[in-house]
Amino acid sequence: MFGNLSDRLVETFKNLRSKGKLSAADIDSTLREIRRALLEADVALEVVKNFIAAVRERALGDEVSKALNPAQQVVQIVNEELVQILGGEQKRLTFAKNPPTVIMLAGLQGSGKTTLAGKLAKWLKDQGQTPILVACDLQRPNAVNQLQVLGDSVGVPVFAPEAGNGSGNPVTVAKDAIKHAKHKQYSVVIVDTAGRLGIDEELMAQARDIRKATDPDEVLFVIDSMIGQDAVNVAKAFEDGVGITGVVLTKLDGDSRGGAALSVAQVTGKPIVFASTGESLDAFEPFYPDRMASRILDMGDILTLIEQAQKSFDEEQAMEMAQKLAKDTFTLEDFMDQMQQLKKMGSIKNMLAMMPGAGKLRSQLDNIDEKEIDRTEAIIRSMTPKERKDPKILNGSRRLRIAKGSGMTVTDVNSLVNRFEQAAKMMKTMAKGGNPGIPGMPQGMPAFGGAGSQANKNKKAKAKKGGKSGNPAKRAAEAAGSPTQNPTEPGAGSAFGLK
Amino acid sequence: MAGLIFWRKKKEDKAQVSEPVVVEPVEIETVVESEPVEEVVESVVAPVVTEPEIVEEPVLEAVELPKRRFAGGIKSLFSRIKFDLENLNELEDILIQADFGVDAAEQIVAKVKAKAKSTGAKTEAELKQILTDLLAEAFTRDDIALKLDSGVQPYVILVVGVNGAGKTTTIGKLANWMVQGGAKVTLGAADTFRAAAVEQLATWAQRSNSEIVKPTTEGQEPASVAYETIEKAIASGADIAIVDTAGRLQNKQGLMDELGKIRRVIEKQTPISEVLLVLDATTGQNALTQAKAFAEVAQVTGIVLTKLDGTAKGGIVYAIQEQLNLPIKLVGVGEGIDDFAFFDPQEFATGLVG
């Protein structure tokens, strides 16, 4: 499944690879695609405009002139900005110093407040709290009833003195609930309120009254992740009308891209605290800004790829490799290490499929033999340490022995040795500032530089200027080499959730 | 728009009215309340429902349901900017903000531009007229009314949609309106999943004076509730049966398959007249995905656009209409039992542009 954005970006950058650097025009054409992607993800127009302006400014700065792959670099900037707006890090619930902690839920009709109340109660209970649910939605038919059923199924008591269905005063219920909770020593009070429209002044006033009556530690604004452009108006209305402390996104198990998250976070400046991801009462989790960023951008796959590359290529190893290259002591052992690193990143087919534009490569991808790496490994493992260090000593009888030991043929062994020599040569060239290639990778695979080449290149790049690699793994090495480059991204490795 | 007419088999005592009475719309902008045309309604309340044993040429009689108009609700797109040739491009932004989507917005702007050029329209009024006509035309079609005219009763209406779109509320309003018009309505509570959904529908049944068929055991298979609903509706001679279903996100394959099953068990007994997809007007571009998925699985015949009383414009229905060829049939404009109306393309377009 390739996001439209991924493919369109590839199209935009088709002619760009050779240039290496971003021009203002390049950035603009990329940003046009990103603008569209954000709008298609339902990010509010005004938010998109501000956002694009911010990214453009950053992209025009020094930062990108070092970029090796412009598309990736811009995507990276966009992603970082998204994560930042979405709240940077996870936000935790504020608990009152003197219990009970009061959490009030507010939102439009059908946003999922009541269900969320049940989930929140369960989550708190699992954490050792003693929550109580309060039924202040006296409007919707049987909302009280629904809350009671939910309370029963999660084993949390429900304070519901009024039957609802249009009768009773929610403010009174809320007040009484706090008294009740204090008296019975519940640690958290969750107040479910009726769904209301931002423009319904009367109901907004009522929500304010409930807030006054309960003095909540958190007022969580519950919003359906499928909401469109109206998210801005709604969020503003609730922020101004009731005052909110955090946001909960619901129905994230759907396939909406959830751009509303960005709109709401931007407009209210309030963190998104929880994500509700299904109908079961366990389908509830803290909100991960980074995952949401990927989802909105519809570039989850490529970001995952970047992350996997970052994670898998051990930076120290990479540095070591680079030194070896520089000293011309790259051996078959290192070669194998490199392959294992690649393997760690997951199936090569899958990984390549994640790359933008891989659609065109699909037929080639089918020809890739995943076992090739295993076979290569078997051959190398059948060698003596001495042979691995110095493949030049491999004469006919040694090669025959290795072939027998690994269950391969002498031809296979020969071809591996050839490939290794080529790779070593290529790396040496690269170490001198050349183009990264395919160090001994199976046939039919597009360029995919190894860790050694990357680290090495980075070193050189600093001395010389930017190179041209399209390799996402490069970032890992670069981050190690120049920690100041992405100050907003301390834990880049963990910044992108795995799918 | 006149009140909707549904057709039922004429009773033995057929001296009564038989002409379909098409009443001209009352020209009052502010009417939201139903305006039943008294004589017609009274005349159909009296006779009892069809007796199946009368084997004769089915003579249909028209039953006029009260008119539904909807005024207010939709807020104009142009609250801030002046709309003229110079800032025609801003129209795109405005349409995007009304959830039309980028593609549709571009398309509409291009059309307005072309039309303005060919007609030499310049003033704000002229341009607005072009836009109004364009939108109204896009939404106008001949299958916009509920189709309750086969004479095979009960007319079955299946209501589907994602969670929280407003299915149950829509059913309550719909049932109330039909009962007001003299129809005998049976509701089926086939949302056996969500906590207290059955009770919620039961409350609406009570408010609207409809019958309700509930699951007999907890967590009963929804398809079996649907089956029983139709069975009971036929047995009791109901005019209309409305089946509520659990909200489901369109990417949950298992739940979507369940809808197919519900459809099939109903159709074993009687044809389904309408499958209404309830869409929340605040939904963004995902509404198109929803409509696609539900149309495929449940063979949706029309859209109900709910929550139009908020600030949302529901522009995505334009794309749905264009791409999926699905008519918008009803709109929901509030939580009250009377807060719904027929979808009127002209009114909708005028409301948006006005």
Side-chain angles (χ1 to χ4, degrees):
Chain A
M1 178 180 36
F2 299 111
N4 294 330
L5 179 61
S6 314
D7 285 344
R8 278 206 302 260
L9 280 181
V10 169
E11 203 55 33
T12 313
F13 279 96
K14 213 164 54 183
N15 305 317
L16 244 152
R17 294 200 180 261
S18 55
K19 279 196 265 168
K21 276 193 195 177
L22 280 178
S23 70
D26 298 333
I27 291 172
D28 284 344
S29 60
T30 316
L31 289 182
R32 257 198 304 281
E33 298 300 339
I34 288 171
R35 172 183 181 271
R36 181 178 271 264
L38 292 175
L39 288 173
E40 280 169 2
D42 290 320
V43 180
L45 185 67
E46 55 174 278
V47 176
V48 172
K49 282 183 173 167
N50 294 337
F51 180 81
I52 293 292
V55 172
R56 187 168 193 277
E57 199 171 307
R58 231 186 108 180
L60 282 172
D62 268 343
E63 222 168 336
V64 171
S65 62
K66 290 181 204 143
L68 295 174
N69 178 330
Q72 278 178 358
Q73 195 73 23
V74 175
V75 168
Q76 187 67 26
I77 293 176
V78 168
N79 187 56
E80 282 168 16
E81 291 283 321
L82 276 178
V83 172
Q84 207 179 358
I85 295 178
L86 287 172
E89 282 162 35
Q90 264 176 46
K91 195 240 173 206
R92 286 168 188 279
L93 276 185
T94 314
F95 287 94
K97 281 190 195 116
N98 303 313
T101 299
V102 180
I103 302 174
M104 173 179 166
L105 305 177
L108 293 177
Q109 289 93 343
S111 54
K113 285 176 298 301
T114 307
T115 306
L116 181 93
K119 290 180 180 182
L120 187 59
K122 179 169 194 309
W123 186 77
L124 287 165
K125 190 181 170 226
D126 292 346
Q127 299 201 336
Q129 302 281 353
T130 49
I132 179 168
L133 288 159
V134 181
C136 281
D137 179 356
L138 307 177
Q139 201 63 39
R140 182 165 57 92
N142 296 81
V144 173
N145 203 331
Q146 185 186 352
L147 195 67
Q148 271 163 338
V149 174
L150 286 169
D152 277 352
S153 56
V154 298
V156 170
V158 179
F159 184 78
E162 296 282 355
N165 295 359
S167 68
N169 182 351
V171 183
T172 320
V173 172
K175 256 186 213 158
D176 293 348
I178 304 297
K179 269 185 223 152
H180 177 78
K182 277 186 182 152
H183 184 242
K184 299 272 180 182
Q185 305 210 322
Y186 287 104
S187 69
V188 184
V189 182
I190 302 168
V191 184
D192 181 30
T193 66
R196 63 200 77 222
L197 290 168
I199 50 170
D200 188 332
E201 207 20 71
E202 199 180 317
L203 279 176
M204 288 308 272
Q206 184 200 68
R208 267 197 302 278
D209 290 344
I210 297 177
R211 182 179 180 149
K212 264 183 221 147
T214 55
D215 186 24
D217 301 277
E218 293 276 7
V219 180
L220 298 181
F221 171 51
V222 182
I223 188 164
D224 185 332
S225 58
M226 297 184 286
I227 194 172
Q229 296 282 326
D230 201 37
V232 189
N233 301 327
V234 177
K236 267 184 201 152
F238 275 86
E239 169 66 356
D240 298 345
V242 193
I244 61 176
T245 61
V247 180
V248 181
L249 271 184
T250 60
K251 305 181 203 173
L252 268 173
D253 49 328
D255 54 10
S256 72
R257 303 245 305 271
L262 192 70
S263 309
V264 173
Q266 175 82 300
V267 167
T268 64
K270 296 296 189 304
I272 300 168
V273 192
F274 294 112
S276 183
T277 54
E279 298 207 57
S280 96
L281 288 165
D282 289 318
F284 173 77
E285 58 187 33
F287 176 76
Y288 299 100
D290 36 15
R291 289 187 198 171
M292 197 65 221
S294 310
R295 177 170 177 155
I296 292 174
L297 205 52
D298 197 13
M299 296 277 287
D301 289 346
I302 198 170
L303 293 168
T304 306
L305 177 71
I306 293 174
E307 179 206 18
Q308 287 189 349
Q310 282 171 341
K311 262 193 190 161
S312 306
F313 281 102
D314 184 297
E315 281 163 21
E316 274 179 34
Q317 265 186 26
M319 289 305 288
E320 223 172 89
M321 198 84 77
Q323 276 159 14
K324 278 183 182 163
L325 267 179
K327 288 181 200 148
D328 200 7
T329 55
F330 186 68
T331 68
L332 269 166
E333 244 162 9
D334 303 325
F335 186 62
M336 195 166 71
D337 278 352
Q338 237 186 352
M339 286 202 172
Q340 277 164 346
Q341 297 247 16
L342 275 176
K343 249 169 80 177
K344 253 197 271 172
M345 285 195 276
S347 150
I348 289 179
K349 253 187 232 178
N350 287 345
M351 200 168 58
L352 290 173
M354 284 185 216
M355 301 183 74
K360 294 170 210 147
L361 289 172
R362 220 162 270 147
S363 58
Q364 284 181 46
L365 280 180
D366 286 338
N367 294 330
I368 293 178
D369 190 350
E370 298 268 352
K371 292 271 185 259
E372 183 74 26
I373 290 187
D374 292 342
R375 286 186 208 114
T376 307
E377 204 181 315
I379 295 175
I380 297 175
R381 287 208 187 280
S382 300
M383 295 177 183
T384 64
K386 195 179 172 193
E387 285 164 350
R388 290 181 209 171
K389 272 192 193 120
D390 186 10
K392 282 184 195 105
I393 63 167
L394 288 170
N395 58 20
S397 83
R398 280 178 192 267
R399 289 183 190 216
L400 185 62
R401 193 203 77 242
I402 294 163
K404 277 183 181 163
S406 59
M408 306 296 289
T409 65
V410 177
T411 326
D412 293 326
V413 179
N414 289 343
S415 94
L416 171 70
V417 175
N418 286 340
R419 267 189 292 155
F420 168 72
E421 278 165 1
Q422 273 171 20
K425 212 185 279 171
M426 209 184 302
M427 287 190 176
K428 243 185 281 173
T429 330
M430 241 170 11
K432 288 169 192 146
N435 198 7
I438 318 157
M441 292 308 293
Q443 276 193 338
M445 281 174 107
F448 212 94
S453 66
Q454 293 313 312
N456 185 60
K457 199 145 98 351
N458 187 40
K459 265 170 41 179
K460 293 282 172 184
K462 275 176 134 190
K464 287 177 140 192
K465 273 259 161 134
K468 298 159 195 156
S469 168
N471 192 335
K474 193 250 145 208
R475 274 192 41 75
E478 190 166 84
S482 54
T484 51
Q485 186 179 336
N486 293 316
T488 56
E489 187 201 29
S494 58
F496 310 110
L498 282 171
K499 280 241 152 165
Chain B
M1 172 182 277
L4 189 93
I5 289 162
F6 81 93
W7 296 86
R8 68 173 160 209
K9 277 190 204 132
K10 231 174 166 184
K11 314 296 140 24
E12 212 154 3
D13 169 20
K14 46 193 156 278
Q16 304 276 344
V17 245
S18 57
E19 288 303 303
V21 189
V22 180
V23 186
E24 287 307 308
V26 184
E27 300 298 338
I28 305 169
E29 278 296 323
T30 50
V31 192
V32 175
E33 292 296 318
S34 52
E35 292 249 340
V37 182
E38 304 272 330
E39 324 82 64
V40 183
V41 174
E42 273 165 17
S43 66
V44 294
V45 172
V48 214
V49 253
T50 338
E51 284 147 22
E53 58 268 22
I54 306 168
V55 188
E56 58 177 61
E57 187 79 348
V59 185
L60 298 181
E61 70 172 350
V63 181
E64 162 107 9
L65 294 164
K67 278 186 300 296
R68 308 288 329 187
R69 294 203 62 194
F70 126 74
I74 305 174
K75 274 117 221 127
S76 171
L77 295 167
F78 305 97
S79 49
R80 290 180 302 257
I81 71 148
K82 193 173 147 44
F83 182 43
D84 55 26
L85 276 180
E86 265 103 76
N87 48 25
L88 204 50
N89 282 330
E90 277 190 46
L91 177 61
E92 188 181 318
D93 283 1
I94 289 168
L95 292 170
I96 288 173
Q97 282 174 311
D99 285 321
F100 276 78
V102 184
D103 290 336
E106 282 173 353
Q107 190 199 344
I108 292 171
V109 171
K111 279 187 185 169
V112 172
K113 269 185 184 164
K115 188 81 198 234
K117 207 174 171 191
S118 70
T119 59
K122 278 192 189 72
T123 66
E124 179 161 18
E126 284 169 336
L127 290 170
K128 279 189 169 174
Q129 193 55 48
I130 291 176
L131 181 60
T132 311
D133 292 348
L134 194 150
L135 292 176
E137 198 188 323
F139 286 116
T140 302
R141 40 193 297 155
D142 49 16
D143 55 355
I144 213 162
L146 292 177
K147 198 168 152 47
L148 308 171
D149 58 1
S150 66
V152 184
Q153 284 179 289
Y155 296 116
V156 178
I157 302 176
L158 180 64
V159 180
V160 301
V162 298
N163 316 57
K167 285 176 297 300
T168 309
T169 307
T170 298
I171 291 172
K173 294 172 184 174
L174 205 52
N176 184 58
W177 165 65
M178 287 169 161
V179 170
Q180 273 179 12
K184 192 169 181 227
V185 179
T186 300
L187 304 181
D191 179 356
T192 58
F193 184 83
R194 206 201 64 201
V198 173
E199 287 76 9
Q200 190 183 343
L201 190 70
T203 305
W204 280 111
Q206 201 186 348
R207 286 183 185 175
S208 63
N209 286 319
S210 331
E211 298 291 312
I212 181 168
V213 176
K214 298 187 211 172
T216 42
T217 56
E218 202 171 314
Q220 186 182 338
E221 169 83 9
S224 88
V225 180
Y227 188 88
E228 282 166 19
T229 305
I230 306 307
E231 202 173 41
K232 249 192 189 150
I234 292 174
S236 70
D239 298 309
I240 288 158
I242 311 178
V243 179
D244 189 16
T245 61
R248 63 203 74 219
L249 295 175
Q250 71 278 8
N251 58 342
K252 303 272 169 76
Q253 199 48 54
L255 291 175
M256 291 303 276
D257 292 346
E258 185 186 274
L259 274 187
K261 187 172 173 191
I262 293 175
R263 252 202 87 97
R264 285 193 300 278
V265 302
I266 294 174
E267 281 178 324
K268 270 189 189 157
Q269 304 179 76
T270 188
I272 297 178
S273 302
E274 292 279 357
V275 180
L276 298 179
L277 169 64
V278 180
L279 284 180
D280 181 338
T282 49
T283 312
Q285 302 305 300
N286 193 247
L288 186 57
T289 324
Q290 287 175 23
K292 266 183 200 155
F294 279 101
E296 195 176 305
V297 176
Q299 293 154 46
V300 172
T301 58
I303 308 268
V304 182
L305 192 60
T306 61
K307 307 187 195 174
L308 264 181
D309 49 331
T311 37
K313 311 269 191 314
I316 188 64
V317 290
Y318 178 86
I320 291 175
Q321 154 93 28
E322 293 278 293
Q323 293 188 27
L324 302 175
N325 197 25
L326 280 176
I328 296 110
K329 297 201 167 186
L330 301 169
V331 292
V333 288
E335 286 186 297
I337 200 158
D338 285 320
D339 296 336
F340 90 105
F342 300 139
F343 177 76
D344 181 334
Q346 191 61 45
E347 214 170 12
F348 188 68
T350 315
L352 278 176
V353 181

